[in-house]
Amino acid sequence: MLMKEYRICMPLTVEEYRIGQLYMISKHSHEQSERGEGVEVVQNEPFEDPEHGSGQFTEKRIYLNNKLPSWARAVVPKIFYVTEKAWNYYPYTITEYTIFCSGPRDEETEVCFLDIAYDEVPERHYKDSEDLRYFKSKKTERGLLQNGWIDTQEPIMCSYKLVSVKFEVWGLQTRVEQFVHKVIRDVLLLGHKQAFAWVDEWIDMSMEEVREYERDTQEATNLKLGTFPPAIAISETPLPSTARGGPNSAPSTPLSTEAPEFLAVPKDRPRKKSAPETLTLPDPHSRRDSLFKLPSFFSWNSGPQPE
């Protein structure tokens, strides 16, 4: 198991961070999601804990197929996602990620400091408007974070994220655990950069307003994410008692005395004299003594596709 504690300083108060974090997570998830990839919100509702009191429970699925390296795609299912469950009792949050892993044990913890101004995000995520060395908030007048800003900035707070990753598969454990931590580090760094870069969008919001924004954005994100190809399911389909006999491997197609559409005489061309006027099929009632039993159908179960 690989355990790291990420420490991220922010030029915000603890109460401002509460609003900003909710706003950032919703907007960031929407921006990073597209059909088949991104964050699907499964559940988001108030939660009461006997020890911690009132809080918010969320469950999300993070689809990562196209973000996996080639060596990882070779060993995971085609539809692969991480389940995130979070219990938010602000300022404390318990977050659980499930990727063939179990809970943390007593292990040595590596401490990692993330600098939202000077640590670099992956190039594909870089935006000039989110480069905090050159950004200044119009509403709060905070910004232009220069070298040493952590020692001089007011206000300032620090977010602590303790993350444990365990993947006990021989030959892959070290690579997978390091890869997952790299992904988590990039997500935390980019998200906290954006939380401050978007400060003028959320600084005047109340908790009720940011929760409403969260609900609206999550619905739009789930629609943007789309649905996945259907899975095959076996279902028992009743067959007519008068079915034509045949081997067990034969398709289980009920018969009709009407000619199937693909055998009908085309209407848009003249008939040839040699062509049959009608097609007569054997009467299935004449085979009542058949002892063969046809197999069940396969059926495709799928949800509605986005328009």
Side-chain angles (χ1 to χ4, degrees):
M1 174 164 48
L2 186 58
M3 183 182 294
K4 296 186 180 184
E5 181 181 272
Y6 298 94
R7 300 182 181 180
I8 313 151
C9 290
M10 298 289 290
L12 304 170
T13 67
V14 174
E15 287 307 312
E16 288 172 343
Y17 180 74
R18 184 181 190 181
I19 302 291
Q21 179 179 233
L22 292 173
Y23 182 90
M24 173 272 292
I25 291 172
S26 296
K27 184 174 178 178
H28 173 87
S29 298
H30 186 72
E31 284 192 349
Q32 298 300 315
S33 297
E34 54 186 333
R35 181 167 175 79
E37 293 288 330
V39 181
E40 175 191 7
V41 179
V42 179
Q43 195 173 353
N44 185 7
E45 60 187 28
F47 184 82
E48 192 73 26
D49 184 84
E51 180 181 352
H52 300 287
S54 299
Q56 191 83 4
F57 170 75
T58 58
E59 180 180 346
K60 301 176 182 178
R61 292 176 181 176
I62 306 170
Y63 295 90
L64 297 171
N65 287 73
N66 293 337
K67 296 180 175 61
L68 295 175
S70 56
W71 59 265
R73 287 197 296 269
V75 297
V76 301
K78 185 176 181 181
I79 299 177
F80 173 76
Y81 62 84
V82 177
T83 297
E84 176 196 286
K85 295 182 179 180
W87 294 262
N88 187 347
Y89 310 102
Y90 194 82
Y92 304 104
T93 302
I94 303 168
T95 305
E96 172 187 288
Y97 292 93
T98 304
I99 330 172
F100 312 108
C101 63
S102 60
R105 300 178 303 182
D106 292 333
E107 299 282 347
E108 182 178 352
T109 302
E110 178 184 350
V111 176
C112 303
F113 291 90
L114 301 185
D115 188 330
I116 61 172
Y118 286 89
D119 286 351
E120 295 183 355
V121 296
E123 185 177 354
R124 66 182 182 278
H125 294 311
Y126 176 83
K127 295 180 182 179
D128 290 338
S129 61
E130 296 171 3
D131 191 330
L132 303 184
R133 296 170 297 176
Y134 311 111
F135 168 79
K136 185 170 183 177
S137 166
K138 295 179 180 178
K139 292 185 178 180
T140 66
E141 296 187 348
R142 303 172 204 167
L144 298 177
L145 302 181
Q146 302 302 308
N147 271 320
W149 69 271
I150 294 176
D151 299 321
T152 59
Q153 175 65 39
E154 290 289 343
I156 193 166
M157 52 83 64
C158 187
S159 174
Y160 295 80
K161 311 285 187 182
L162 182 62
V163 181
S164 303
V165 179
K166 182 181 179 182
F167 188 88
E168 294 184 339
V169 176
W170 186 85
L172 291 174
Q173 180 171 359
T174 299
R175 294 180 74 180
V176 170
E177 291 179 351
Q178 290 177 345
F179 169 75
V180 172
H181 268 290
K182 180 183 182 302
V183 171
I184 291 173
R185 179 193 180 277
D186 289 345
V187 169
L188 290 175
L189 179 60
L190 176 60
H192 284 76
K193 278 177 175 285
Q194 292 174 330
F196 184 57
W198 298 336
V199 64
D200 289 345
E201 299 177 25
W202 58 260
I203 193 64
D204 296 325
M205 283 186 172
S206 65
M207 178 56 66
E208 292 73 20
E209 289 171 334
V210 78
R211 285 296 185 192
E212 183 179 357
Y213 172 83
E214 183 183 49
R215 288 190 295 270
D216 293 343
T217 307
Q218 287 173 359
E219 182 179 348
T221 301
N222 284 356
L223 290 174
K224 184 180 179 184
L225 185 65
T227 56
F228 289 94
I232 295 179
I234 299 176
S235 63
E236 293 296 329
T237 304
L239 296 176
S241 59
T242 56
R244 181 174 58 183
N248 288 337
S249 60
S252 51
T253 306
L255 294 181
S256 169
T257 55
E258 297 295 329
E261 183 178 349
F262 67 88
L263 290 177
V265 178
K267 297 179 180 180
D268 56 350
R269 65 178 183 179
R271 297 178 180 178
K272 296 182 179 179
K273 292 184 179 180
S274 60
E277 293 294 325
T278 60
L279 178 66
T280 303
L281 294 179
D283 184 357
H285 295 280
S286 64
R287 299 298 300 274
R288 292 182 182 274
D289 58 342
S290 173
L291 298 179
F292 289 100
K293 184 177 180 181
L294 298 179
S296 301
F297 289 131
F298 284 97
S299 64
W300 291 88
N301 298 326
S302 62
Q305 299 294 318
E307 296 181 355

